[in-house]
Amino acid sequence: MTLPDPAVLLAQMAADLRAHLARRGIHEPLFVGIHTGGVWVARALLEQLGQSEAPLGVLNVSFYRDDFSQHGLHPQVRPSELPFDIEGQHLVLIDDVLMSGRTVRAALNALFDYGRPASVTLACLLDLDARELPIRADVLGATLSLAADQRVKLHGPAPLALELQTLAASH
């Protein structure tokens, strides 16, 4: 399988995001990336939009994961950084890969601890079409269907590159 080029996906996502926001009458959204890959995608997307100087929120959802008790906490967890008030604001939430939907659910829970946004638009570089929750991206780079033992890893921050990985068989 040949993976898509993130630069091509980002150019299309920028155009789709502009159109989506225009349809909704949203003029000055605030951008929040999910740590780590979502932050990389958010920075690249802001650059595509000509807004590389815009403030970017960084959301760490580790404490909000529903599998936290099973997997524990990664030793390098950093706190979220939202350099703006989200109450009543239109947000663009950005992640690299949408798979089960659980990361996005955790991100929404985390955001609401900071306030009640007017709206949240979800933008994802890839959708692996393996959702366990009814969550879908409003703006999407590409959808991939992978075998059960395959995953896609985003490398970055610049340039962004995708790598197809095969999980080791568990015994």
Side-chain angles (χ1 to χ4, degrees):
M1 164 186 285
T2 302
L3 295 175
D5 179 355
V8 173
L9 297 180
L10 284 160
Q12 185 58 52
M13 286 175 67
D16 292 348
L17 181 58
R18 277 190 194 97
H20 176 83
L21 295 173
R23 277 193 307 275
R24 308 254 342 261
I26 298 171
H27 302 291
E28 294 185 15
L30 299 173
F31 287 76
V32 178
I34 298 174
H35 183 69
T36 299
V39 174
W40 297 342
V41 173
R43 285 193 178 117
L45 193 54
L46 283 168
E47 194 171 301
Q48 285 281 331
L49 293 167
Q51 298 179 35
S52 57
E53 300 303 314
L56 174 62
V58 175
L59 199 60
N60 191 314
V61 300
S62 298
F63 292 112
Y64 293 86
R65 299 274 318 185
D66 58 9
D67 57 2
F68 176 73
S69 61
Q70 297 167 340
H71 298 290
L73 193 58
H74 191 278
Q76 296 176 343
V77 168
R78 297 183 196 161
S80 295
E81 297 174 31
L82 295 178
F84 39 70
D85 182 15
I86 69 165
E87 186 72 32
Q89 298 295 320
H90 295 282
L91 304 179
V92 178
L93 178 64
I94 302 159
D95 202 7
D96 54 351
V97 177
L98 175 59
M99 190 168 156
S100 67
R102 294 182 184 278
T103 297
V104 173
R105 184 212 51 86
L108 292 170
N109 285 355
L111 282 174
F112 276 81
D113 277 355
Y114 288 91
R116 185 178 185 278
S119 71
V120 179
T121 295
L122 178 61
C124 295
L125 187 66
L126 295 176
D127 181 342
L128 298 187
D129 202 21
R131 275 181 299 291
E132 298 169 1
L133 299 174
I135 292 173
R136 67 169 178 78
D138 299 296
V139 174
L140 179 63
T143 300
L144 301 177
S145 293
L146 302 178
D149 67 342
Q150 292 180 316
R151 298 292 182 272
V152 173
K153 180 167 179 59
L154 179 67
H155 295 282
L160 294 177
L162 296 171
E163 175 191 1
L164 185 63
Q165 298 181 327
T166 302
L167 302 177
S170 59
H171 297 281

